[in-house]
Each structure stands twice: as C-alpha cells, then as structure tokens.
Amino acid sequence: MSFLYEEAKKIYADIGIDTEDAIKKLSEISLSMHCWQGDDVGGFESSGELTGGIQATGNYPGKARNMEELMADIDKALSLVPGKHRINLHATYADYSDGIVSRDKLEPKHFDKWIEFAKERGLGIDINPTLFSHPLAADGLTLSHPDENVRRFWIDHCKAIRKIGAYIGEKLGTPCLNNIWIPDGYKETPADRTSPRQRLKDALDEILSIEYDKKYLVDSVESKVFGIGVESYTVGSHEFYMNYAANNNCYCLLDNGHYHPTESVADKIPSMLLFSDKVALHVTRGIRWDSDHVVGYTDELKEIAKEIVIAGPERVIIGLDYFDASINRIAAWVMGMRNMQKALLGAMLTPHGKLAECQNNGNFTEMFVFSEEVKSYPQGAVWDEFCERNNVPVRENWFKTVKEYEDSVLVERK
Ligand code: RNT
Ligand code: ZN
C-alpha cells in the first residue's frame, strides 16, 4: 500500500467513507465494452458504408479488419482496464468464416467463437441486432417500414438475435442484454406520425412475444431524439419506448447522446428506477450533438455515476457507446472504460448520506460547500491503489503499452 493511499484512506475516513469498501464495490461492477469502437462500426458482413444516421469520423491507422484482429485489440484494451467486464457485440460481428449469412438467418453457431473468447477470459457478452448499414435499411426505415416485406426481414433479424442472445447467456451463465435500436425516422416533418409508431409497436410485440429465461436474456429498447438525415422525426422516441418498456417487460436503454443537450440522463435514472427494477445505459459523450466522442471524465459523467451508485449499481446495466476513428482506437476504449470507473469511484467516495441530510434539512449552504470541497479530496490515490491491486498500470502509464502495440502491430494493418 502506498503512502499516498494510506493518507487518502484517513482523509476519507474522517468524513465517514471507507475506501476499502469503495475499492471492493468498484471491482464488482462490470461495464459492457462495445466492440464497435475497434473498427468504426464496420462489422464483418460487408465493407459497405455506415448508415442509419450515425457517423464515425477520422482515419487513424490500424483499425481491426477481421475477428482475429478485433479480438486481439479487445484483449489489449481490457488488459489495461482494472476489473472484469463484458463485451457488447453487434449482429454484424458474427463469424462469417463459412460464408456471409443473411441477417434474418443468423444462428447461435455464428457466435460460438465469441462465446469461446469470452469464456476463456471470464467475460460476459451483450448483443444488438444491427438495423442499419444494409440495403433493406437504405431508405432509413426498418421495423416501422410501410412495406410489410421489409418489416418482416427486420422482425426476423431481431428474433434471430434474441435467440442467439439467450444461447450466449446460457453458455456464459450471465444474462445477455439484447438492445434494440432502430434508425427509423424522417428528414422532413411527417404527414403521419402515428402509423410508423403503430407499426414499430406491432413489430416489437411480435419480436418480444417469444419468452426466454431472464437468467439468460434480457431486452432493452433505445430511444433517440434525432439522427443525421432524420432530423424532423424519429419513430422510436423517448416517450414511445418509455411507455413501451413500462408495459412490456423490457428495459429502457438511455443513451446520454440521445436527448436534447440540456436534458440530463443523471436526472432520468432515478425517475426510471421508481418504475422499473433496472435501467440500461449507453454512456457516450456528445459534443453539440450525438457525436459519440470518447467518454471523458466530465461533470455529466460524474452525475450519471452518482445516480448509479445511489440507486445501487446492480440496478443499472452500464454499456459504453462511442466510436472515434481519429485517435488510436485501443486508447479510446481504455480511456472511456477507465473514466467510467473513475466516475463510479468518485461517487463511492462522496458522502451522499450527509449531503442528502443537508438537503432535507434545508442546509443548502453546507450542502454546496461540502460537495464542492469533496471534489478535491485525494481520489487519485484511491484510483491508483485500485489499479495496482488489479495489476493494471496506474495513471497514464498504460499508454506506453498501447503505443508499443501501435508501433508493432497496428502499423502493419494497411
Ligand atoms: C445510435 C445508437 C446505437 C448505436 C450502436 C452502434 O445512435 O446510439 O446504440 O450507436 O448500436
Ligand atoms: Zn447508443
């Protein structure tokens, strides 16, 4: 134990915080690391462009070109992140070594390699149907499409992915989260706002009508306020999904890039949790819009972490969702994961009980003073201790490893 940690421990003990307890609790929180940061949301199905109103910008060298490279990169990233985590896959990261399979025909066996990968490393897996970057989503409509045949294709795709998710969950012994996000919407003000939502509702009803054991599969639905090219209307709006989830035994997934910039996901979490046992998150960093920048150690993140810790981390399924192609992709993963953990640690090292007491007694001056002072308590020393105990480099020292990997492995990928 370092001298700095010993001192920090005492300082926190003075305000009633047990740093050992925080370290223990932090090591119990797994984050779901999104595979798609590794290849700019490319996937292995085709080399076509990314559609669906989302965009990865930049052309930093070294992006993973196949499953082997992506797995190696994930290994490298996770070796620099303390704790045990999960990986979040998209349908298009299936194993196509026996040939490309239509998305509505994907089967559990197409994910056996990922299951094996996860098992060997003690990781969990989450999954997402991919309702974009496909000819049948070229007009930006999927589950809400007016053409029944197009809808059928996407319904069947979602059903196939749920089956795969349940299989993964069973194989790994930890529930797989299947998250449904669709890009559907319109560029201009629609004449009919109701029918697309009615069709989406009917499609979800069919998809979710198949029951799986919650021990293996849980579902979430992810809303969005707008996407590029669908600025005027999104079918899967927040109100739509919030009501859908409340009535249909699935969770809402809140992506903090998917609301008006003055809205706060931190504020939404406790509201949702009064009505649902869990809520799922996509943690991202939007700059001016849903730009999907790497998660930074921001005030927004700290507030989200605070609500997770107060609610009880077991009630929040935490996933990351960003894709920055302008910097080293492994560094992007590591930074986002570590920042999320740092924010959670910061929340654990905050005396919420005492602050809440101030609030409830109307002592707002004291609440303000105390919460501001706590911000410069020696959290870094506790973080370093946590990293050391988990055998990962402290502070920025992890970056050396990423740089070496870039110079020896990533440069070879042309
Ligand atoms: C898009 C959504 C969605 C995607 C991933 C790739 O705005 O956030 O979650 O980012 O499914
Ligand atoms: Zn998202």
Side-chain angles (χ1 to χ4, degrees):
M1 249 178 269
S2 76
F3 168 74
L4 278 180
Y5 175 69
E6 287 298 334
E7 286 307 302
K9 194 174 166 180
K10 284 185 214 148
I11 291 171
Y12 280 110
D14 283 345
I15 54 165
I17 301 273
D18 180 352
T19 56
E20 286 297 313
D21 190 51
I23 287 175
K24 181 170 170 288
K25 290 210 173 104
L26 187 59
S27 67
E28 286 160 6
I29 303 181
S30 331
L31 310 176
S32 195
M33 191 175 92
H34 56 313
C35 75
W36 52 91
Q37 165 59 50
D39 72 338
D40 316 338
V41 211
F44 313 136
E45 184 194 69
S46 80
S47 47
E49 59 159 351
L50 175 60
T51 71
I54 53 179
Q55 231 162 54
T57 57
N59 53 3
Y60 200 84
K63 89 169 168 196
R65 297 165 299 183
N66 52 50
M67 192 184 277
E68 289 66 38
E69 290 180 354
L70 189 63
M71 285 176 169
D73 294 357
I74 289 174
D75 265 338
K76 188 50 71 183
L78 288 179
S79 75
L80 302 169
V81 177
K84 275 271 170 245
H85 299 283
R86 309 176 59 81
I87 43 174
N88 199 359
L89 302 176
H90 245 283
T92 45
Y93 291 78
D95 173 12
Y96 296 112
S97 52
D98 288 335
I100 298 295
V101 184
S102 175
R103 292 189 201 174
D104 56 335
K105 303 276 178 327
L106 281 166
E107 290 173 56
K109 66 172 186 205
H110 298 115
F111 286 83
D112 278 338
K113 277 201 189 138
W114 281 113
I115 294 171
E116 196 185 316
F117 175 83
K119 219 179 216 161
E120 278 169 6
R121 292 155 179 80
L123 307 167
I125 292 183
D126 297 310
I127 199 149
N128 306 256
T130 311
L131 296 104
F132 51 84
S133 305
H134 188 278
L136 286 180
D139 59 3
L141 299 171
T142 62
L143 293 178
S144 76
H145 206 290
D147 180 338
E148 201 192 320
N149 295 319
V150 177
R151 274 198 323 277
R152 173 56 38 211
F153 175 80
W154 292 114
I155 290 170
D156 289 345
H157 172 54
C158 291
K159 284 181 170 174
I161 295 307
R162 288 189 75 232
K163 186 174 176 187
I164 292 166
Y167 171 82
I168 292 173
E170 188 171 359
K171 290 277 175 208
L172 296 179
T174 163
C176 174
L177 176 70
N178 167 59
N179 175 56
I180 300 178
W181 172 72
I182 65 167
D184 299 34
Y186 291 103
K187 186 179 178 80
E188 292 296 348
T189 306
D192 174 4
R193 289 182 166 99
T194 304
S195 305
R197 291 190 175 130
Q198 182 66 57
R199 290 190 290 265
L200 173 58
K201 180 175 180 295
D202 295 343
L204 291 171
D205 285 348
E206 182 180 338
I207 293 163
L208 298 171
S209 68
I210 301 158
E211 283 194 32
Y212 291 98
D213 193 329
K214 294 258 180 232
K215 278 206 309 257
Y216 306 135
L217 183 78
V218 290
D219 298 278
S220 64
V221 283
E222 178 182 7
S223 71
K224 187 164 177 172
V225 65
F226 84 94
I228 301 170
V230 292
E231 288 83 358
S232 297
Y233 168 86
T234 20
V235 184
S237 62
H238 181 58
E239 293 72 15
F240 174 90
Y241 281 129
M242 191 165 66
N243 283 292
Y244 191 87
N247 289 295
N248 292 281
N249 197 22
C250 60
Y251 298 127
C252 265
L253 184 143
L254 313 176
D255 179 317
N256 61 304
H258 289 189
Y259 300 88
H260 185 279
T262 64
E263 282 184 79
S264 150
V265 161
D267 194 55
K268 297 178 193 299
I269 294 169
S271 304
M272 302 295 298
L273 289 177
L274 287 176
F275 302 95
S276 175
D277 65 324
K278 285 186 191 185
V279 65
L281 299 182
H282 270 180
V283 183
T284 188
R285 181 167 53 107
I287 302 217
R288 302 186 192 281
W289 68 290
D290 182 28
S291 60
D292 286 302
H293 279 67
V294 179
V295 167
Y297 187 51
T298 61
D299 285 349
E300 183 190 16
L301 186 73
K302 291 176 197 173
E303 283 302 308
I304 289 173
K306 170 170 130 189
E307 294 303 331
I308 297 172
V309 166
I310 291 175
E314 66 289 347
R315 297 188 66 193
V316 186
I317 305 170
I318 312 170
L320 303 186
D321 181 14
Y322 52 79
F323 22 98
D324 191 336
S326 74
I327 58 173
N328 181 299
R329 293 169 186 79
I330 295 160
W333 261 325
V334 177
M335 208 60 269
M337 292 287 280
R338 288 174 64 121
N339 280 338
M340 185 73 240
Q341 290 180 296
K342 270 187 204 168
L344 290 165
L345 178 64
M348 290 170 181
L349 297 177
T350 302
H352 301 293
K354 189 183 153 97
L355 292 167
E357 205 179 289
C358 290
Q359 175 181 323
N360 291 330
N361 292 333
N363 295 333
F364 298 113
T365 310
E366 195 181 342
M367 182 178 96
F368 179 62
V369 168
F370 201 49
S371 58
E372 287 299 305
E373 288 298 341
V374 162
K375 287 182 183 173
S376 49
Y377 269 46
Q379 187 193 324
V382 185
W383 170 250
D384 289 350
E385 181 70 18
F386 179 69
C387 289
E388 262 166 18
R389 290 192 198 175
N390 282 281
N391 302 312
V392 302
V394 295
R395 299 183 290 277
E396 69 280 10
N397 297 347
W398 58 268
F399 185 59
K400 250 194 300 209
T401 309
V402 173
K403 208 50 198 127
E404 277 161 21
Y405 187 71
E406 176 171 317
D407 295 341
S408 59
V409 177
L410 300 182
V411 286
E412 303 297 325
R413 297 180 190 167
K414 294 275 154 49

